[in-house]
Amino acid sequence: LAILLTGLEADLGVMQEFGFDVPGDAFTSFWTAVSWPQKVMEAISAAEPRQEDGKMKFMGELQKAQSDFSVELESIEEAIKKLSEESDLTRAEELSETVLVLQGRLEDAASQAQVINSREKLFEFSETEFDDIDRLKMDFEPFSQLWSMAGEVNS
């Protein structure tokens, strides 16, 4: 663009030297085109602080999501522990519903882990390993089967 504009400027100069009347709109268009690179640079400079502010905001949201997610995993772990201590078959239907809720929470946790990892990639952070989710699923599975079957038998 700079080379093209330099050539156009030379052409306009030559035309003026030889007394040719350069139309006003051509003259205006030329100087408008010359000013655009500066306007673009100014727009970029103006956008950089907003971009940095947005980045900081999203980093804060990521940290909050990670913290909330950690609390949710602890809550799920506690619920599985309570479920493991249950032995009252008269509550089988209630506990089978608890199993369904916990299954949903574990599935949501796995999805949320993927979202957090994708956001970490955006910020070029190392991805968090969420091995706890797999462990929780394995810990939950026998109680899930037990209370699901007991709920079906009692209903």
Side-chain angles (χ1 to χ4, degrees):
L1 181 61
I3 294 170
L4 181 62
L5 289 176
T6 302
L8 286 173
E9 184 177 21
D11 291 346
L12 284 174
V14 168
M15 290 173 71
Q16 286 177 337
E17 271 182 44
F18 288 102
F20 287 104
D21 190 22
V22 178
D25 61 336
F27 187 76
T28 303
S29 296
F30 169 76
W31 286 107
T32 300
V34 166
S35 69
W36 270 106
Q38 181 61 33
K39 289 179 182 179
V40 169
M41 293 307 294
E42 289 170 1
I44 289 171
S45 294
E48 285 175 345
R50 288 192 310 266
Q51 181 183 7
E52 191 61 30
D53 289 345
K55 182 178 178 181
M56 290 297 129
K57 176 186 171 201
F58 290 128
M59 285 176 88
E61 289 175 7
L62 173 60
Q63 289 172 342
K64 178 156 179 17
Q66 289 170 321
S67 175
D68 292 348
F69 185 66
S70 179
V71 169
E72 174 63 6
L73 287 180
E74 289 172 10
S75 173
I76 291 171
E77 185 170 22
E78 184 62 32
I80 291 171
K81 182 179 178 192
K82 285 181 183 177
L83 189 63
S84 73
E85 296 168 354
E86 290 289 344
S87 60
D88 186 0
L89 288 175
T90 61
R91 298 182 55 223
E93 285 183 54
E94 175 189 343
L95 294 172
S96 69
E97 289 192 25
T98 300
V99 163
L100 292 176
V101 170
L102 278 172
Q103 282 174 334
R105 287 176 67 189
L106 281 168
E107 289 170 10
D108 290 345
S111 296
Q112 185 64 25
Q114 289 177 340
V115 169
I116 288 172
N117 282 337
S118 68
R119 291 179 181 171
E120 288 170 336
K121 281 182 192 177
L122 286 175
F123 289 110
E124 299 176 352
F125 295 158
S126 60
E127 290 183 44
T128 304
E129 294 291 328
F130 292 108
D131 298 332
D132 289 349
I133 295 172
D134 292 332
R135 181 185 53 78
L136 289 172
K137 285 180 178 180
M138 288 176 51
D139 291 349
F140 176 65
E141 186 59 30
F143 306 110
S144 170
Q145 291 177 2
L146 170 69
W147 293 113
S148 294
M149 283 190 280
E152 287 176 18
V153 169
N154 285 347
S155 61

